[in-house]
Amino acid sequence: MAHIFHTAQTTTNESFKFSATYMEIYNEQVLDLLDSNPKRRPLPVRMQAGKGFFVENLFEVTCLTEDDLLAVLHEGLRNRKVGSHDMNERSSRSHAILTINVSISSTSTQTGFRNVKCGRVSFVDLAGSERVKGTNSSGQELVESNNINKSLLTLGKCISCLSDPKKSHGHVPYRDSIL
């Protein structure tokens, strides 16, 4: 992150704008990690032509400095679901996705037109698979473990289908999990 902000500050012919979102997938529901309300509601995942999949009403923070971005990271980590069980005393109970959006604009000296380039980088932290016998999970912990395993299995199936030329024309089960 330091390199990105250093480049933005030292480049003279382009202007950079940064923003960030941070969400978690907990029990197959998307939650905004920047919403500190303990009773936050799940957010819907939508599909739109030209935009692709997106999370509706996800809070986006403008980041003017590297410290702003680190504040987003720390706020999200504070709000993330964690728990403990027999194999791990601080276990992530969700998958988390921190997305940094970058917009670079410049004005052509030849034409005077403004050019804008946009990109995004997503950092994904997947919860580890859960061996229910080893964790002695029950109740809510068991539900969490089952949802973690379901989403990781679906992700593996999608990767397998997309990477195997023999399966590339078949069904990709990406809708089997929110992840």
Side-chain angles (χ1 to χ4, degrees):
M1 285 190 261
H3 176 71
I4 294 171
F5 279 94
H6 175 72
T7 301
Q9 291 170 348
T10 58
T11 302
T12 57
N13 57 345
E14 295 176 317
S15 66
F16 290 73
K17 291 183 182 175
F18 299 95
S19 64
T21 61
Y22 204 4
M23 66 179 154
E24 74 178 336
I25 300 169
Y26 173 72
N27 282 339
E28 289 295 304
Q29 295 180 324
V30 176
L31 302 170
D32 192 338
L33 286 172
L34 300 179
D35 180 357
S36 57
N37 181 352
K39 295 182 180 182
R40 57 191 165 168
R41 294 177 184 236
L43 300 175
V45 177
R46 304 273 189 228
M47 171 65 176
Q48 191 175 58
K51 189 174 184 179
F53 288 99
F54 67 98
V55 177
E56 191 172 67
N57 299 321
L58 189 61
F59 190 66
E60 188 169 356
V61 177
T62 299
C63 300
L64 301 175
T65 66
E66 182 182 358
D67 288 338
D68 293 344
L69 186 55
L70 290 173
V72 168
L73 176 66
H74 292 298
E75 177 69 16
L77 290 173
R78 259 195 307 278
N79 294 326
R80 189 162 177 201
K81 301 269 194 245
V82 292
S84 63
H85 52 69
D86 288 357
M87 294 180 69
N88 188 349
E89 75 178 50
R90 186 161 167 79
S91 173
S92 302
R93 309 313 297 155
S94 65
H95 308 297
I97 304 170
L98 171 67
T99 301
I100 302 170
N101 300 297
V102 183
S103 175
I104 306 169
S105 59
S106 62
T107 303
S108 170
T109 55
Q110 297 168 347
T111 64
F113 289 123
R114 185 171 195 89
N115 299 313
V116 178
K117 296 179 269 186
C118 298
R120 90 176 37 157
V121 178
S122 294
F123 298 92
V124 180
D125 181 16
L126 296 174
S129 62
E130 300 280 327
R131 288 178 41 208
V132 176
K133 273 188 178 178
T135 61
N136 287 324
S137 296
S138 61
Q140 183 62 27
E141 286 179 352
L142 182 60
V143 171
E144 293 169 348
S145 295
N146 287 337
N147 281 313
I148 289 168
N149 290 340
K150 172 188 173 186
S151 61
L152 292 173
L153 177 64
T154 301
L155 177 62
K157 286 179 181 178
C158 290
I159 291 170
S160 176
C161 287
L162 293 169
S163 63
D164 186 347
K166 295 175 187 171
K167 297 179 184 177
S168 65
H169 299 296
H171 172 69
V172 179
Y174 66 92
R175 290 188 179 176
D176 290 356
S177 172
I178 292 291
L179 179 63

